[in-house]
């Protein structure tokens, strides 16, 4: 934890309307999943992400998708198809999330899943498809145990 970088900070529009600011998640562990609907690995990992979200919901953990290519209708159709209940930022127009994540996530590294600690810093990163929900669970548990 002592070697982590600065907090990740961005705000942007949600696919359901309204906006979100990562500052609102300080004090919680935040799982950020960078995705888009046409990404086959993103579709493959969606059920595992949702299952882990349901397992940790209400335990000081939040999930937030970062959709880097789609408009709201496509993102919402994806959420309905795969049963995703956590929100996603639409980053295709403004790119605020991608800018904030530069140096942490390569622009074409989709999907990528980040576990953000309670201070807003990157605690861990999974590049590519989440191969095991158990790995994500373990990374979340570790972040939850930190002060």
């Amino acid at each position: 934890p002592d070697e982590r970088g600065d907090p990740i900070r961005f705000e942007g529009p949600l696919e359901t309307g309204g906006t979100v600011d990562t500052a609102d998640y300080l004090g919680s562990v935040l799982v950020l999943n960078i995705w888009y609907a046409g990404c086959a690995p993103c579709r493959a990992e969606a059920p595992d992400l949702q299952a882990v979200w349901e397992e940790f919901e209400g335990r000081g953990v939040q999930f937030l998708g970062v959709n880097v290519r789609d408009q709201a209708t496509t993102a919402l159709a994806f959420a309905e198809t795969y049963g995703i209940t956590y929100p996603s930022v639409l980053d295709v127009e403004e790119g605020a999330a991608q800018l904030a994540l530069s140096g942490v996530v390569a622009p074409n590294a989709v999907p990528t899943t980040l576990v953000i600690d309670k201070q807003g810093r990157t605690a861990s990163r999974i590049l590519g498809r989440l191969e095991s929900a158990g790995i994500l669970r373990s990374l979340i548990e570790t972040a939850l145990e930190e002060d």
Side-chain angles (χ1 to χ4, degrees):
D2 295 337
E3 297 177 14
R4 293 183 185 147
D6 293 330
I8 293 174
R9 175 81 194 278
F10 64 87
E11 56 185 81
L14 293 171
E15 83 267 70
T16 55
T19 60
V20 68
D21 186 326
T22 54
D24 297 337
Y25 295 101
L26 292 175
S28 296
V29 171
L30 175 62
V31 177
L32 284 178
N33 178 253
I34 295 82
W35 69 282
Y36 66 94
C39 163
C42 300
R43 293 189 305 267
E45 73 179 7
D48 286 333
L49 288 166
Q50 178 63 30
V52 176
W53 161 236
E54 290 173 8
E55 181 179 334
F56 283 95
E57 189 174 12
R59 293 183 49 203
V61 178
Q62 300 292 323
F63 274 52
L64 180 65
V66 177
N67 186 306
V68 294
R69 294 197 186 166
D70 301 318
Q71 298 298 325
T73 55
T74 304
L76 288 169
F78 180 95
E80 184 176 332
T81 298
Y82 293 96
I84 304 300
T85 60
Y86 55 86
S88 283
V89 171
L90 298 175
D91 202 48
V92 68
E93 298 291 329
E94 297 175 19
Q98 293 173 80
L99 182 60
L101 295 169
S102 64
V104 178
V105 177
N108 293 328
V110 179
T112 294
T113 303
L114 303 174
V115 176
I116 308 297
D117 69 16
K118 296 172 190 173
Q119 289 77 42
R121 305 167 304 171
T122 303
S124 54
R125 174 180 63 187
I126 301 169
L127 294 174
R129 177 183 171 201
L130 176 65
E131 296 290 337
S132 166
I135 291 170
L136 182 56
R137 282 185 194 98
S138 179
L139 295 172
I140 292 169
E141 290 286 356
T142 299
L144 275 173
E145 292 170 3
E146 297 172 356
D147 288 327

